[in-house]
Amino acid sequence: EADVASKQNSAGSLARRMVLIGAIGAAAPPAALSIGLAQDFRPLESIDSTKRVITGDMNSESAQKAIKIIKDTRDRVQSAVEKLDADREADFAREFAVPPPSQQSNFQPPVNTDVKDLRWASAQIDGLMDGTTKADTERVGRILISAFYKTINDTSFRAPVFGEQGWIGQSARRAEPENVKRLR
């Protein structure tokens, strides 16, 4: 009886795995499934930008708009880093387009306009590249967006507000060098 139960458990486990694999396959973008981009875990340092091959028109209106979005985002992030260096309690939520708590809902978080723009810009830049370079630019885009979310979701991201509940703890978190390093 124990052997029969073991086989039934094994069959049930296999069925659950098959359903999970099917669901993942259905949810993943077709391009990621066909060329394995969903499993591209290269770090940023491993991507060599000197070997890029541009096949599209870098002077097109959409390419120039995409480049401007990336540069503007870079400038805002640099501004946030400078604010943090000057004042550990500085509020740089505006630089990351994070709405104030009064405009947030637990039921449906707001779409971050910066992330939406970065995704669009990344897709435009990806379209200008040859196949090999496109894989690199797609990976860089995913790293960029992942780093963006990692920063705004960090426990030390929110600026402490004097007198607000928890401000002493948040101020202490912002003062810890390891937290500052993560935010940088």
Side-chain angles (χ1 to χ4, degrees):
E1 290 178 14
D3 191 41
V4 171
S6 174
K7 287 181 181 176
Q8 287 175 342
N9 256 351
S10 179
S13 178
L14 179 62
R16 281 190 297 277
R17 276 189 237 131
M18 295 296 286
V19 169
L20 181 60
I21 290 169
I24 291 170
L33 292 174
S34 65
I35 57 177
L37 288 178
Q39 296 181 9
D40 184 355
F41 298 111
R42 295 176 292 159
L44 188 59
E45 299 80 30
S46 72
I47 298 172
D48 184 4
S49 64
T50 62
K51 296 180 181 178
R52 67 181 180 263
V53 178
I54 302 169
T55 59
D57 180 10
M58 289 293 290
N59 295 317
S60 70
E61 185 178 332
S62 63
Q64 290 300 308
K65 184 177 177 183
I67 292 167
K68 182 176 178 355
I69 288 169
I70 299 292
K71 286 181 177 180
D72 288 349
T73 302
R74 179 199 59 204
D75 294 345
R76 283 196 320 275
V77 169
Q78 185 59 41
S79 170
V81 169
E82 289 168 4
K83 278 185 177 181
L84 181 63
D85 288 344
D87 177 10
R88 297 296 161 103
E89 295 187 9
D91 184 6
F92 42 83
R94 183 173 293 133
E95 282 83 353
F96 287 86
V98 175
S102 63
Q103 295 178 6
Q104 295 180 15
S105 164
N106 291 335
F107 302 109
Q108 187 173 8
V111 175
N112 187 296
T113 55
D114 279 356
V115 172
K116 182 180 171 185
D117 291 345
L118 286 172
R119 284 190 173 128
W120 179 85
S122 293
Q124 298 306 309
I125 291 170
D126 296 343
L128 299 172
M129 308 298 167
D130 74 326
T132 303
T133 307
K134 182 178 180 179
D136 290 346
T137 59
E138 286 174 339
R139 178 64 185 144
V140 170
R142 286 192 302 278
I143 290 170
L144 177 66
I145 291 168
S146 176
F148 192 92
Y149 275 120
K150 187 175 179 181
T151 300
I152 66 173
N153 291 325
D154 190 285
T155 57
S156 302
F157 179 78
R158 191 176 63 79
V161 178
F162 181 77
E164 188 177 88
Q165 182 179 358
W167 74 271
I168 293 172
Q170 189 63 14
S171 185
R173 270 191 287 283
R174 277 284 188 97
E176 292 179 26
E178 66 185 41
N179 292 339
V180 172
K181 184 178 178 182
R182 258 196 339 264
L183 288 174
R184 289 190 99 250

